[in-house]
Amino acid sequence: MRTDPGTLALVSLLLPLASFFVLAIVAPFRRLGRPAAYFSVLCATGAFAAAVMAWLAQGESTIPTLHLWEWLPGQGKSLATVGVLVDPDSTVMLMLVTLVALLVQVYSLGYLHEEPPKGLGRYYTYQSLFAFSMMGLVLSPNLLQLFMCWELVGLCSYLLIGFWYPKPEAARAAVKAFWTTKLGDVGFLIGIVLLWRSAGTFDLTELHAMVQSSTLPLAGLSIITFCIYLGAAGKSAQFPFHVWLPDAMEGPTPVSALIHAATMVTAGVYLLHRTSWLFALTPDVLLIVAWVGAFTALLAAVLACVQDDIKRVLAYSTVSQLGYMMAAIGAGFSAAGFFHLLTHGLFKALLFLGAGAVIHAVGTNDISKMGGLARKMPITAIVFLIGTLSLAGIPFFGGYLSKEEILGAMWAGGLPGPFAVLMLVAFLTAFYMFRVVFLAFYGPSHVAASHGELVMTTPPDEGKIVHDQPGPHSSHLHDPPASMLLPLLTLAALAMFVGIYSTLIGPLLPAEAAEHAAPGWLTPSAVGVAVVGILLAWLTYQRRTINPESLASAFGPIRTAALAKFWVDDAFIFVYERVLLTFARVVGWTDRYIVDGVLNMVSAWTLTAGDDLRTIQTGKAQDYVYGVAVGVLALILWMKLS
Amino acid sequence: MTGEAVAFYALSAMLVVSALAVVLSKNLFHAVLWLALALTGTAGIFLLLDAEFLAAVQLLLYAGGVVTIVVFAIVVTERLVGETITQTNRRIAGGALVCGALLWLLITTVLERPLATERPIMPDDLTKAIGESVLTRFVLPFELLAVLMLAALLGAIYFARPEE
Amino acid sequence: MGLQPFLVLSSALFCIGLFGVITRRNTIGILLGIELMLNSVNINLVAFSRFNGSVAGMVFTVFTISITVAEMALGLAIVILLFRVRRTAMADHLDLLKG
């Protein structure tokens, strides 16, 4: 085996593509279901192994390895290239993507065991394509390839969110995700084109070199970076584009894990991290990024506090954590955001897969219909708790150091406002996550006694169709089968490892070493607010010292607003129904009656004129002679007079 | 006024009158007879221009040949010789206007140009000169003309063949 | 006697012939008009030939006369054929090309 990291990354990239092509083209094989799934898992395993080897081969070296092929030939040099750019960031990210993709695929073997073979084959086809597009995005050496993979990722998430397309909510959520991200993508595309016009290249390395030698024209750069940020905000669910992410929960839970942890939403953060040297030139845009990130984090955290759907809580927490990463990038410390992206990828995948195990067993997403699950599903409860502690940023757990770094970055970046917001969000995060833990895993059970009838008598919650509904067998609550448990344990172990390593020794990856000195009081206070949040949740939902209702009424207006999702969706609907539809009607009317009217009138005139003109063709030879005579006469007259 | 001029104007008057009669005569048969007169007058004009050979050809081919076949055609196509149905169409006023205007324009153009008034010396025997030119300088058009005549002959035979 | 009188005469004959071509209903009448027009052209050719001192115009008159005769023979053949097929010789009845 060659040790060139570029080749290894290429192998890693092409394996899922091969899997996709085989599954997509060889329809009989795809329709077999299970064998197709095993094939896809095999390819994902290979991809992960290659990614790990690429990372090891890259090692400490920060010199990027480039493998480029000319794609669009241009004058002098090619207009665009395709290939892979391997450097420490992309190898780490590649490893995360392949790892989560692999674990999700393994997990899905258990989670989707009731799916008919045809559907299962389709699922794994999409999964392979999804993995390939995300890896292509991660390894992109230029913005054009990155954009294409970006769109492929969007397409795949559309396909997977709408995997159960007979369900109207799923189809609607898929379209919503597609259009909302597309809104940002338009900005991204405009940004790329503008950047190309001013810099003359799509290539990231060349652009970086231009920035370093200060040869990049600065005029209009703010617009360019803002446009690129729009794309990232769409993908990474920043306010006001966050509306698609909670709805994306309509897809199968493993898909949610994949979208939230390793692909799709992380693409935006990754993009900003990749182009952070570009954004560094436009501090005004960075300020927007930071504030929007902090605001998104707060908004989503508040929304998460009032949700009863376990997956929606996790979805809003993802939005919130993405806000964290964006805020760090906005503060100018993109490495901190990227570090959090990696650790978040691990524990969010863990949380989603854990939630999937719970849903699989209980048959509902509603945490008020769970409770006391820790006794029935001890392993699931433990791994879920590990994920929750990681998310809350408790020492020795995965998210501890990265969260610290972001808060430190905000402080060091001179942004006390967003810093305060993010501290508040840290408190809220701990609170809402432990609310889920206490309601679902501890306390009195609302499941065990009535679960059997619940499935049969109560209509499935939130319009769940049979696919997401466990069969009768799941009335026996127990930990999930091995294919689901293995990924959970792997992720939990990794989260723990990262947490312990980073707490005791320091940052795991040299590239993510702290770029700033955090004040000494930061760690105690950050951990402190998290502990306070946990305590509050414990008192409210476990000990019942504080009545949840009175707590709710204390924050009445905010709660009402949060239940209405702060009317962001309503604002979108208003803009769509009132403004866009009215505009569309006006345009439609203009097109139908004015543009078409003019054209129809011209064509009608032409027809009439033709009808009238043909009468001069009498068919009589003499009339033509007469015409010739008149013509000759006119000609002579003209010659005489001129 | 010389005798030549007298002859020219007399011939011209005859030509114009007979030409008008050709186009206006209600009886087609009469029109053909008027045409014969006009063609003969033209032969006279040729004589005035020292082209005796052409005058002879004019008389032989036109007044002799063409008029004869036209008479045959009339006999074949008109059911009643001497029939007096309308022989002109609705273009009569417009046609007169256009042709009149054209004539006026042509005549004014001719009259305002300085044109030759003296006849240059030409060989005494113009017929011989024409014959030599035809077989030397204009031999190619002459041969082409022969082909054309052959084609016309074949065409006429084809058209006139009995119905099958 | 200069060239002008001949040209004026020839113009007059030409226009009369054209008038005949335009107004005659009978196809044979139209052919007669054409004869008149060609005749005027012949006068033109001979007159120019004589006043330019070149024999070429006269040679061409020979040619045009021959061509005219050929045209006349074919034209009349067509008229007879038309009459056979359509039972008419009137030009304004022949409007199959009407648009």
Side-chain angles (χ1 to χ4, degrees):
Chain A
M1 183 65 78
R2 288 185 55 190
T3 49
D4 173 26
T7 313
L8 287 166
L10 208 59
V11 169
S12 176
L13 173 67
L14 292 180
L15 271 171
L17 183 66
S19 163
F20 164 69
F21 272 124
V22 167
L23 292 185
I25 293 170
V26 190
F29 180 53
R30 182 179 72 234
R31 296 205 185 96
L32 286 178
R34 289 255 144 201
Y38 292 140
F39 179 68
S40 175
V41 170
L42 194 69
C43 286
T45 315
F48 175 60
V52 172
M53 281 193 277
W55 179 63
L56 291 174
Q58 184 73 22
E60 303 278 310
S61 162
T62 53
I63 303 158
T65 314
L66 268 167
H67 279 238
L68 289 183
W69 287 270
E70 207 172 278
W71 176 42
L72 296 175
Q75 282 175 333
K77 62 173 190 140
S78 64
L79 202 59
T81 52
V82 289
V84 293
L85 168 63
V86 181
D87 60 8
D89 286 352
S90 64
T91 43
V92 171
M93 189 72 188
L94 188 69
M95 219 161 52
L96 176 73
V97 172
T98 49
L99 172 68
V100 176
L102 169 64
L103 293 180
V104 163
Q105 289 196 9
V106 172
Y107 182 90
S108 302
L109 286 175
Y111 191 83
L112 290 174
H113 65 100
E114 282 173 6
E115 191 68 25
K118 248 171 114 171
L120 200 65
R122 186 163 60 90
Y123 178 81
Y124 276 95
T125 313
Y126 294 162
Q127 281 277 2
S128 295
L129 182 61
F130 206 166
F132 162 73
S133 6
M134 190 63 199
M135 289 156 74
L137 192 157
V138 168
L139 293 169
S140 279
N142 61 55
L143 285 171
L144 201 62
Q145 184 189 335
L146 198 148
F147 181 76
M148 290 188 294
C149 292
W150 182 275
E151 291 301 322
L152 268 181
V153 168
L155 169 72
C156 290
S157 67
Y158 163 80
L159 291 171
L160 282 171
I161 292 169
F163 179 65
W164 287 319
Y165 56 83
K167 192 166 71 163
E169 296 88 4
R172 216 172 147 264
V175 173
K176 186 171 176 181
F178 195 70
W179 282 117
T180 315
T181 52
K182 217 45 70 200
L183 207 61
D185 292 353
V186 173
F188 185 25
L189 185 59
I190 293 172
I192 293 179
V193 172
L194 286 177
L195 186 61
W196 187 80
R197 206 178 61 171
S198 79
T201 178
F202 294 118
D203 198 278
L204 285 169
T205 357
E206 282 176 30
L207 283 169
H208 197 180
M210 285 175 86
V211 169
Q212 277 172 337
S213 60
S214 309
T215 46
L216 189 72
L218 288 176
L221 198 63
S222 294
I223 298 171
I224 293 170
T225 49
F226 184 73
C227 284
I228 295 176
Y229 170 64
L230 272 185
K235 273 275 190 293
S236 287
Q238 295 294 290
F239 175 85
F241 299 121
H242 67 274
V243 291
W244 69 268
L245 195 55
D247 287 22
M249 296 300 107
E250 295 296 342
T253 308
V255 172
S256 307
L258 189 61
I259 290 179
H260 285 248
T263 57
M264 189 77 182
V265 296
T266 57
V269 178
Y270 184 75
L271 170 67
L272 293 201
H273 176 58
R274 275 306 235 202
T275 53
S276 54
W277 28 266
L278 196 64
F279 278 76
L281 298 177
T282 55
D284 38 351
V285 175
L286 275 183
L287 201 62
I288 299 176
V289 175
W291 272 104
V292 172
F295 179 67
T296 309
L298 178 64
L299 186 85
V302 172
L303 285 167
C305 290
V306 300
Q307 296 294 324
D308 282 334
D309 182 329
I310 185 168
K311 281 177 76 180
R312 278 180 180 267
V313 174
L314 291 176
Y316 280 119
S317 105
T318 303
V319 177
S320 179
Q321 297 304 309
L322 287 167
Y324 256 91
M325 301 171 202
M326 284 295 196
I329 290 170
F333 298 98
S334 72
F338 184 60
F339 184 31
H340 194 53
L341 169 63
L342 296 173
T343 54
H344 174 259
L346 288 176
F347 62 71
K348 189 46 68 69
L350 172 63
L351 282 171
F352 263 108
L353 296 183
V358 171
I359 295 165
H360 192 72
V362 182
T364 174
N365 290 2
D366 194 341
I367 48 176
S368 67
K369 296 195 177 113
M370 299 174 186
L373 292 178
R375 287 187 298 276
K376 309 275 175 149
M377 314 170 64
I379 304 176
T380 311
I382 290 168
V383 295
F384 198 86
L385 194 62
I386 291 173
T388 308
L389 287 166
S390 296
L391 182 54
I394 302 298
F396 302 107
F397 291 96
Y400 161 66
L401 190 67
S402 53
K403 206 162 194 173
E404 289 282 311
E405 284 220 2
I406 288 180
L407 289 169
M410 300 311 291
W411 189 256
L415 294 165
F419 172 78
V421 171
L422 290 186
M423 282 301 255
L424 177 61
V425 173
F427 162 74
L428 286 171
T429 308
F431 173 71
Y432 67 69
M433 280 315 295
F434 274 91
R435 172 171 167 264
V436 171
V437 168
F438 289 131
L439 282 179
F441 291 97
Y442 299 98
S445 172
H446 306 284
V447 192
S450 59
H451 181 61
E453 301 95 274
L454 190 102
V455 171
M456 294 188 326
T457 56
T458 319
D461 193 42
E462 298 199 349
K464 290 273 158 204
I465 60 158
V466 280
H467 293 296
D468 213 8
Q469 197 75 265
H473 75 279
S474 62
S475 55
H476 321 292
L477 289 173
H478 53 71
D479 274 322
S483 61
M484 289 164 73
L485 212 49
L486 188 69
L488 281 174
L489 292 173
T490 313
L491 284 167
L494 275 170
M496 284 302 294
F497 169 71
V498 170
I500 293 167
Y501 188 92
S502 57
T503 312
L504 295 179
I505 300 170
L508 189 62
L509 306 161
E512 276 73 45
E515 305 160 3
H516 49 83
W521 49 265
L522 184 68
T523 309
S525 53
V527 175
V529 292
V531 171
V532 170
I534 297 169
L535 267 180
L536 183 65
W538 184 67
L539 288 174
T540 314
Y541 297 103
Q542 182 68 9
R543 297 282 301 182
R544 302 277 166 181
T545 319
I546 304 170
N547 187 0
E549 272 72 44
S550 60
L551 188 68
S553 57
F555 293 98
I558 296 178
R559 192 182 144 80
T560 318
L563 283 174
K565 298 181 194 167
F566 290 104
W567 301 284
V568 178
D569 286 77
D570 298 305
F572 269 104
I573 290 169
F574 176 81
V575 169
Y576 169 69
E577 280 185 352
R578 291 293 149 80
V579 183
L580 285 182
L581 274 190
T582 311
F583 181 66
R585 280 197 198 99
V586 171
V587 170
W589 186 89
T590 315
D591 186 57
R592 250 193 305 283
Y593 293 103
I594 296 188
V595 177
D596 283 6
V598 169
L599 287 179
N600 288 342
M601 203 157 68
V602 169
S603 72
W605 281 349
T606 313
L607 277 178
T608 322
D611 258 358
D612 292 346
L613 274 177
R614 66 192 276 260
T615 57
I616 69 169
Q617 294 284 334
T618 57
K620 292 172 190 161
Q622 283 170 296
D623 290 340
Y624 300 131
V625 176
Y626 184 63
V628 171
V630 172
V632 169
L633 186 63
L635 203 62
I636 295 177
L637 268 177
W638 178 61
M639 278 161 61
K640 268 203 144 357
L641 295 178
S642 62
Chain B
M1 210 185 227
T2 59
E4 200 188 351
V6 172
F8 174 77
Y9 286 118
L11 277 172
S12 294
M14 188 190 92
L15 264 171
V16 170
V17 168
S18 57
L20 282 172
V22 168
V23 297
L24 293 175
S25 157
K26 286 204 188 307
N27 188 319
L28 198 57
F29 194 72
H30 294 168
V32 180
L33 295 181
W34 281 113
L35 180 70
L37 185 59
L39 296 175
T40 316
T42 309
I45 297 287
F46 286 172
L47 277 177
L48 283 179
L49 287 165
D50 307 329
E52 304 86 359
F53 173 67
L54 288 179
V57 170
Q58 176 86 1
L59 281 177
L60 270 173
L61 279 183
Y62 266 128
V66 170
V67 170
T68 314
I69 54 174
V70 173
V71 169
F72 271 122
I74 292 170
V75 170
V76 171
T77 57
E78 299 290 295
R79 266 153 285 184
L80 295 166
V81 176
E83 165 186 38
T84 52
I85 53 163
T86 315
Q87 289 289 339
T88 50
N89 61 14
R90 67 206 151 77
R91 289 261 180 247
I92 194 148
L97 188 68
V98 169
C99 292
L102 197 59
L103 179 60
W104 176 71
L105 282 172
L106 283 173
I107 288 175
T108 47
T109 311
V110 167
L111 289 182
E112 75 195 14
R113 298 292 152 102
L115 288 166
T117 50
E118 291 305 313
R119 303 183 185 202
I121 309 296
M122 287 189 81
D124 284 344
D125 197 350
L126 270 177
T127 310
K128 188 179 173 213
I130 290 170
E132 275 169 357
S133 297
V134 164
L135 288 175
T136 53
R137 194 177 154 203
F138 295 109
V139 70
L140 188 64
F142 182 69
E143 293 300 332
L144 284 176
L145 192 67
V147 175
L148 179 86
M149 293 296 241
L150 180 62
L153 194 64
L154 289 174
I157 292 169
Y158 175 77
F159 282 144
R161 78 196 186 285
E163 278 173 289
E164 280 140 24
Chain C
M1 283 298 293
L3 184 52
Q4 269 174 354
F6 292 96
L7 294 189
V8 171
L9 173 67
S10 135
S11 306
L13 286 181
F14 184 86
C15 289
I16 293 169
L18 179 64
F19 177 75
V21 171
I22 291 174
T23 55
R24 276 289 185 187
R25 287 182 71 215
N26 196 305
T27 36
I28 295 175
I30 295 171
L31 284 173
L32 299 185
I34 294 174
E35 285 306 299
L36 275 178
M37 289 164 79
L38 283 163
N39 214 41
S40 83
V41 171
N42 283 346
I43 292 176
N44 238 4
L45 277 171
V46 176
F48 270 113
S49 175
R50 184 66 196 87
F51 282 88
N52 281 350
S54 153
V55 85
M58 295 191 188
V59 174
F60 268 87
T61 309
V62 175
F63 291 163
T64 41
I65 288 173
S66 320
I67 292 169
T68 309
V69 171
E71 171 246 314
M72 207 58 190
L74 272 180
L76 287 168
I78 292 171
V79 168
I80 289 168
L81 197 63
L82 261 177
F83 183 77
R84 243 192 239 162
V85 175
R86 304 284 305 268
R87 306 309 301 172
T88 181
M90 294 300 168
D92 47 5
H93 294 167
L94 306 171
D95 58 355
L96 283 179
L97 283 175
K98 185 172 168 53

